[in-house]
Amino acid sequence: MFDIYKEMWTRRRMIHELSIQEIKSEYAGTLLGFIWGLVNPLMRISVFWFVFSVGARAGVPIDGAPYIVWLAVGMVAWFLINDGFRLSQKTYRSKRSIIKNTPFPVAVLPAMEILFSYYKHLILLGVILLVLIFSLKSISFYWIQIIYYDFAAFMLLIGLGTLTAPIVAISKDFGRFLDTSLVFLFWMTPIFWSAENLGVLEKIIKLNPFHYIVQGYRDSILFNRGFWEYPLYTIYFWMVVIILFVLGNYVYKKMKPIFLDTL
């Protein structure tokens, strides 16, 4: 039933090696190397903090956490989701030269792009955690939960990438629609504002599985809350992941001959 995921697991070592090669090629020829992977996200965090906290004077502490810290932790989680989804859904189209010219196991490509995004994410996460250790002068056992939320994000992205990549491969319009949707989700996911301020609309916002990851990061790093404190929300999230896995496997099997011919 889950043939594509079995192939990903069987070829997990290949996925890792390909992801490392992607990182090397990404920064090949640059003087600062992987440091460039920090420059863009840190600048974006700084700009958004300035706009909302200084410019709009809306950056009040949230649940006792300084706004800049609350914002940074949420954006670190978002960068992983955004980059992983953006790259994985375009993977068949962006790698069409490899697919057409070599007998390549195309099933591994979405996972490769997601793992590539995750390795870059680890660099930024490490820097943010170090800054927090020195600025807050504390560390919590709950930080270990980041491993769980990273795994949850990885599984969510695998499901999304597997489902959308075959469709994007045969339709540029669908790819543009997804790019637009990511912009919409960026502003609708509670990254700059707290969902608790929405009253009855909070439950609707929480239907977005991206919120589960972003809030999970904040709960783990800032608020010392365990994922087991939200059993129904956790069950809902994993039900969404399972549905995406089933749909992704089905779409891949049905559309593989079509998008291979189209590419």
Side-chain angles (χ1 to χ4, degrees), residues 30-31 75 85 194 199:
T30 63
L31 182 62
M75 290 201 70
F85 188 25
S194 175

Side-chain angles (χ1 to χ4, degrees), residues 160-226:
L160 286 170
T162 305
L163 174 61
T164 56
I167 306 175
V168 173
I170 63 175
S171 173
K172 288 185 178 181
D173 290 320
F174 187 68
R176 292 182 181 275
F177 168 75
L178 289 178
D179 289 339
T180 303
S181 298
L182 271 175
V183 174
F184 174 78
L185 287 171
F186 175 66
W187 293 105
M188 291 305 294
T189 302
I191 299 173
F192 307 104
W193 43 274
S194 175
E196 296 177 357
N197 298 332
L198 299 180
V200 295
L201 293 178
E202 179 182 356
K203 293 182 179 179
I204 297 176
I205 291 296
K206 287 184 175 181
L207 294 177
N208 172 8
F210 293 170
H211 174 270
Y212 182 80
I213 305 300
V214 172
Q215 187 59 42
Y217 255 61
R218 286 171 173 155
D219 286 342
S220 302
I221 297 174
L222 301 177
F223 303 128
N224 294 337
R225 298 172 187 153

Side-chain angles (χ1 to χ4, degrees), residues 36-49:
W36 285 114
L38 297 173
V39 173
N40 180 269
L42 291 178
M43 286 186 64
R44 289 171 66 183
I45 291 172
S46 300
V47 168
F48 284 124
W49 168 78

Side-chain angles (χ1 to χ4, degrees), residues 31-32 35 46 61-62 66 80 135 148 173-174 179 222 255 261-262:
L31 182 62
L32 297 179
I35 294 178
S46 300
I62 297 180
L80 170 61
S135 61
Y148 163 74
D173 290 320
F174 187 68
D179 289 339
L222 301 177
M255 299 189 67
D261 289 340
T262 302

Side-chain angles (χ1 to χ4, degrees), residues 98-112:
I98 298 177
I99 296 173
K100 291 174 65 176
N101 300 322
T102 61
F104 194 84
V106 296
V108 307
L109 287 174
M112 180 201 72

